[in-house]
Amino acid sequence: MGCGCLAALFALLSPRVAIFFVWAFTDRMTVAFDQAWMGILGFLILPWTTLAWTFCYAPVRGVRGFGWIIVIVALLADLGAWGGSSQARKRQAA
């Protein structure tokens, strides 16, 4: 089983776990992010988007074509998670 398959399995459990394993066992995080703080911030705030960006990023070209669709879908998933947790807290407080 390749590294990509393992990352996909870990992503099903948690995008943060997948990001950790991609960072620990490949160079994709350092290729995709020039600054370490960008990867750390993505890990904390937008994990699905960070993971999608990492896999869709090409060193010379950046993210192009269908890769942008994947990144946008991941961003919508992150925003949905933030919105859903906000609504759950409001319902719990009421």
Side-chain angles (χ1 to χ4, degrees):
M1 190 181 306
C3 186
C5 292
L6 283 175
L9 287 173
F10 286 124
L12 290 174
L13 297 172
S14 168
R16 288 182 178 98
V17 172
I19 289 170
F20 172 77
F21 280 101
V22 168
W23 169 77
F25 296 112
T26 70
D27 65 342
R28 293 294 304 165
M29 294 298 287
T30 55
V31 168
F33 297 103
D34 293 334
Q35 308 291 324
W37 65 269
M38 292 170 63
I40 294 168
L41 190 64
F43 177 85
L44 296 173
I45 297 174
L46 299 170
W48 286 111
T49 306
T50 303
L51 193 58
W53 181 270
T54 301
F55 283 112
C56 293
Y57 187 83
V60 175
R61 300 174 310 168
V63 176
R64 297 181 142 230
F66 188 69
W68 277 113
I69 294 171
I70 294 171
V71 171
I72 290 169
V73 168
L75 177 63
L76 293 174
D78 281 329
L79 294 176
W82 278 93
S85 63
S86 172
Q87 287 180 353
R89 280 192 302 271
K90 286 179 185 176
R91 272 188 262 130
Q92 194 174 38

